[in-house]
Amino acid sequence: MALKFDTSFDPHYGQGVSVAPDVLRVTVRNPSPFTFHGTNSYVVGRDTLAVIDPGPDDDAHLQTLLDVIAGRPVSHVFVSHTHRDHSPLAARLKQRTGALVVAEGPHRPARPLHVGETNALDASADTAFVPDTALPDGTLVAGDGWAIRTVLTPGHTANHAAFALEGTGILFSADHVMAWATSIVAPPDGAMADYMASLDRLIERDDRMLLPGHGGPVTAPRAFMRGLKTHRKMRERAILERVRAGDRRVPDMVKAIYRDTDPRLHGAAGLSVLAHLEDLVARGMVSTDAAPAIDGIFTPVR
């Protein structure tokens, strides 16, 4: 299918929005080119609750979550990954509710830093986050009237996880799949090979709806994700064509490939190009004089 993004979304700041039976979406007022209208938190359950992705350390959002919780017990806080727009509020929410904080694990890069490399994404990482309990792939956490299974989806970050609400066909896809835009995959925190493998894994599932970390739901998941996979393959092909045409550096490729993209996103676009180049180098289709780097020189393998 042709990939069509859905940007029709009303965040309804300051309130809970019902998106499925016993599932409320609460959106933080932190809009940006990277977060769309803001980060989505989800409150799951009726009597004893779970919260998925509490969000950034934001006083107003904490109060909105507490208002939506309305004094009911919260047994678990699930965290999909450790970017600062998703995980930092977990500590304060735990303090206020006594909930157990669960996630794949602390923040870590998808690969070690190369010699002389700096991590352009350091500021976005919540390196202080440590879950009370780590969630291996397939872990089932049963609550009061709900059960949530962990589906590990590395790629956007090394510790990224989606959460399936058992028996409903609903998957909380966080930043791996979103209806409004493609996910950023940026080394060293993310890895394109991991992202594509995780995408294939979700395509094989039979979910009927994805509830993402930003924007509205994905209502035809398998078809949308196939389109997303095709989009990524086309981007890979465009990068390979630029290398074969003589572009040797990432900024030159970004200027050509992302000429119609908001310039504020060109830095992230460069990291996305690097993620593809890392994968192309690993597959023997492109070469570079050292480890793939944002300031490296890339040549085609004839």
Side-chain angles (χ1 to χ4, degrees), residues 104-187:
E104 188 272 355
H107 190 81
R108 65 183 187 279
R111 59 160 174 78
L113 289 176
H114 303 313
V115 175
E117 182 183 19
T118 58
N119 187 351
L121 305 171
D122 269 346
S124 67
D126 181 10
T127 55
F129 176 84
V130 178
D132 296 317
T133 300
L135 297 174
D137 189 46
T139 301
L140 185 67
V141 177
D144 181 8
W146 52 263
I148 294 174
R149 190 176 299 276
T150 300
V151 182
L152 295 186
T153 49
H156 177 66
T157 60
N159 66 352
H160 195 284
F163 300 112
L165 187 58
E166 292 284 282
T168 68
I170 293 172
L171 181 81
F172 298 93
S173 57
D175 284 8
H176 190 72
V177 179
M178 301 175 289
W180 74 282
T182 58
S183 176
I184 293 172
V185 181

Side-chain angles (χ1 to χ4, degrees), residues 212-244:
H214 307 273
V218 178
T219 55
R222 187 172 284 171
F224 183 80
M225 288 189 288
R226 284 175 179 149
L228 198 57
K229 181 177 179 178
T230 298
H231 175 83
R232 292 285 184 178
K233 288 294 185 181
M234 289 174 63
R235 184 54 45 84
E236 175 189 282
R237 187 157 52 248
I239 292 167
L240 192 55
E241 287 173 356
R242 293 312 310 168
V243 174
R244 288 171 175 167

Side-chain angles (χ1 to χ4, degrees), residues 9-19 23-29 39-43 60-69:
F9 178 73
D10 187 341
H12 292 286
Y13 297 126
Q15 58 186 286
V17 178
S18 178
V19 291
V23 179
L24 297 173
R25 184 186 66 223
V26 185
T27 303
V28 191
R29 194 187 293 269
T39 303
N40 294 331
S41 301
Y42 294 95
V43 179
H61 187 58
L62 175 61
Q63 187 58 55
T64 300
L65 284 175
L66 292 173
D67 290 345
V68 170
I69 290 165

Side-chain angles (χ1 to χ4, degrees), residues 250-267:
V250 169
D252 296 324
M253 300 178 208
V254 170
K255 287 178 185 177
I257 297 169
Y258 292 88
R259 57 185 174 273
D260 297 325
T261 299
D262 185 339
R264 294 176 297 172
L265 300 177
H266 279 194

Side-chain angles (χ1 to χ4, degrees), residues 5-86:
F5 295 117
D6 182 1
T7 58
S8 59
F9 178 73
D10 187 341
H12 292 286
Y13 297 126
Q15 58 186 286
V17 178
S18 178
V19 291
D22 296 332
V23 179
L24 297 173
R25 184 186 66 223
V26 185
T27 303
V28 191
R29 194 187 293 269
N30 63 332
S32 78
F34 300 100
T35 60
F36 195 35
H37 289 283
T39 303
N40 294 331
S41 301
Y42 294 95
V43 179
V44 178
R46 183 176 303 173
D47 298 318
T48 299
L49 309 175
V51 174
I52 296 175
D53 276 353
D57 190 2
D58 181 278
D59 290 342
H61 187 58
L62 175 61
Q63 187 58 55
T64 300
L65 284 175
L66 292 173
D67 290 345
V68 170
I69 290 165
R72 291 172 289 178
V74 179
S75 61
H76 294 81
V77 173
F78 291 80
V79 173
S80 67
H81 65 293
T82 44
H83 279 159
R84 288 188 177 274
D85 59 321
H86 286 261

